[in-house]
Structure formats: C-alpha cells, structure tokens
Amino acid sequence: SQKIEQNSEALNIQEGKTATLTCNYTNYSPAYLQWYRQDPGRGPVFLLLIRENEKEKRKERLKVTFDTTLKQSLFHITASQPADSATYLCALDTEDSNYQLIWGAGTKLIIKP
Amino acid sequence: DGGITQSPKYLFRKEGQNVTLSCEQNLNHDAMYWYRQDPGQGLRLIYYSQIVNDFQKGDIAEGYSVSREKKESFPLTVTSAQKNPTAFYLCASSRGLAGGQETQYFGPGTRLLVL
C-alpha cells in the first residue's frame, strides 16, 4: 500500500542547533515534494517545494533534500529559534495526482531556549 | 489583503443537523479544496474543485456535500449522514495549473464539535 510517514514523536531541539525532520514514502513516484508549517489552530503555510530531479533546495535558514532512491526527504532548520516551534508537514505531488497532494501527519518541533 | 477566509472559527452541531462551513478566496485561484484534519493523521481530502460548477469527490466524501457556484466560494455542508464529524476542517486553494507544482494556500480552519 502507499504510505507517507513522518516521525509522530515530537522533536526537541536546543535553540541555535540544527533541527532535522524526516519524510519517508513508499510506493509513490512523486514528481514534487512540499513542506508546510502549521501552528496550533491555524492552517498550514507553504515553505518549500523540491522537484524529483533536484537534490537540494534552500531558503534562508531552511534546507530540503530529496532522495528518490531512499524515498526520503529531509527538512533542516539551521540556527533554530523558539519561533520555529510548530508542526511541519510534508506532502507529495505525483504525476497522476490530478491536483491532489498526499499528506504526512506532521512532526511537532519544539525549540527550547 | 489577499487570502482565504473561513467561517465560523468554531461550529457546534446537534444530532441530525446539517451544518455549512464557509470558504471564500480572493486570490483568483481556479482550484479549491476541503480537507479534514484529525489528531495524528495527515490531511484527508473531502472534495475538490478545479473550475466553477464542477467538483470531484476526494478520499472521504461520504456524509459531505459541496457547491462551486462562484470562483471565490466553495462551501462545505456536513450532513447528518456524517456520523463522526468532530474535526478541524481546512479549506485551501491553488492556481489550478496542469503539470503539478501546485502550492496550496490555506484558510484558518473551522473546528466542528458535536453537542
């Protein structure tokens, strides 16, 4: 069966360190993978999109990698700050998805001062 | 201010009652979506619409209905047939381009609770 998995346990990181979140998938051939941030009681907000033929994408303190062989994407936040605390969702967009994204359940990130 | 609005923020449903959740966007997007979010689960697609007067069922459409009479509006009705409606409902929109790369823009959500 097709699955997309993110670590369900909260990730606790000390302020200033790099936070790394994982998104694993099985039985998909994603064309694109997206990362979103969701704060409690709010809608998700788009952060980064990476294509299947890209290895890495950066935006300020954020970096996303995409390994189609391992079927995994890593999301890094460098120099983490307490304001980065939120739940981070990954979503796949496959070639035949017909506008639909397939969502992971998200990983809660807590940055401790 | 461009964006998506949802109302109400909280909604209470009685047994056997239909309730309607509002979603409006002024981003001039063609595609709109309704998702349901439950604790510990990914967003699940209820319905989506790629163009006015047309919509398709998502993975969990049973017990829900939608309409798309205007480009800006995509209301969701939770009917009495939906036996477990308590959840956080999210509306989203995207440009509706073919070929993927569809970033979605979300509203603030409506939390539906059953009395």
Side-chain angles (χ1 to χ4, degrees):
Chain A
S1 63
Q2 296 173 318
K3 280 198 303 185
I4 175 169
E5 291 183 334
Q6 296 184 256
N7 195 334
S8 59
E9 292 183 11
L11 181 63
N12 287 275
I13 299 292
Q14 197 67 39
E15 181 178 6
K17 301 292 186 184
T18 296
T20 299
L21 288 74
T22 304
C23 177
N24 295 303
Y25 60 92
T26 57
N27 297 329
Y28 288 116
S29 296
Y32 308 94
L33 191 145
Q34 303 185 33
W35 284 88
Y36 289 75
R37 169 183 173 141
Q38 186 175 25
D39 291 286
R42 309 281 296 270
V45 174
F46 170 75
L47 295 174
L48 281 168
L49 178 150
I50 187 165
R51 298 175 181 79
E52 61 175 336
N53 60 354
E54 295 178 318
K55 296 294 185 188
E56 183 179 296
K57 201 78 168 283
R58 291 176 185 262
K59 179 182 175 183
E60 298 173 350
R61 294 184 296 111
L62 308 181
K63 183 178 86 171
V64 171
T65 61
F66 194 9
D67 189 326
T68 55
T69 302
L70 292 178
K71 296 187 182 297
Q72 181 181 79
S73 175
L74 299 179
F75 177 81
H76 307 271
I77 305 176
T78 58
S80 59
Q81 305 165 1
D84 295 326
S85 299
T87 296
Y88 291 85
L89 310 174
C90 68
L92 300 180
D93 183 354
T94 62
E95 287 180 344
D96 59 353
S97 65
N98 195 26
Y99 300 99
Q100 296 182 48
L101 290 177
I102 302 145
W103 294 84
T107 297
K108 185 174 182 178
L109 176 65
I110 301 168
I111 306 298
K112 297 179 289 186
Chain B
D1 242 359
I4 301 180
T5 58
Q6 290 185 244
S7 61
K9 189 172 176 64
Y10 295 96
L11 186 58
F12 298 91
R13 194 190 91 163
K14 296 179 182 178
E15 279 301 319
Q17 187 182 40
N18 293 352
V19 292
T20 297
L21 285 63
S22 169
C23 177
E24 303 277 332
Q25 55 99 357
N26 62 3
L27 300 169
N28 199 32
H29 284 170
D30 285 315
M32 297 187 75
Y33 313 80
W34 273 106
Y35 291 97
R36 171 179 172 142
Q37 188 174 34
D38 294 281
Q41 296 192 41
L43 301 183
R44 291 186 290 167
L45 185 64
I46 305 173
Y47 270 98
Y48 65 103
S49 168
Q50 297 167 231
I51 197 167
V52 173
N53 292 323
D54 188 41
F55 48 83
Q56 284 77 42
K57 292 182 179 180
D59 300 320
I60 56 165
E62 186 175 348
Y64 301 96
S65 66
V66 293
S67 63
R68 186 87 185 276
E69 296 176 3
K70 297 187 299 182
K71 187 175 184 177
E72 302 79 20
S73 179
F74 192 40
L76 173 75
T77 296
V78 183
T79 74
S80 56
Q82 173 49 244
K83 297 305 178 188
N84 184 24
T86 297
F88 190 49
Y89 290 87
L90 288 161
C91 179
S93 71
S94 67
R95 289 188 293 172
L97 301 175
Q101 293 195 75
E102 279 286 275
T103 300
Q104 294 188 3
Y105 297 79
F106 284 83
T110 293
R111 190 165 297 280
L112 177 60
L113 300 164
V114 177
L115 294 177

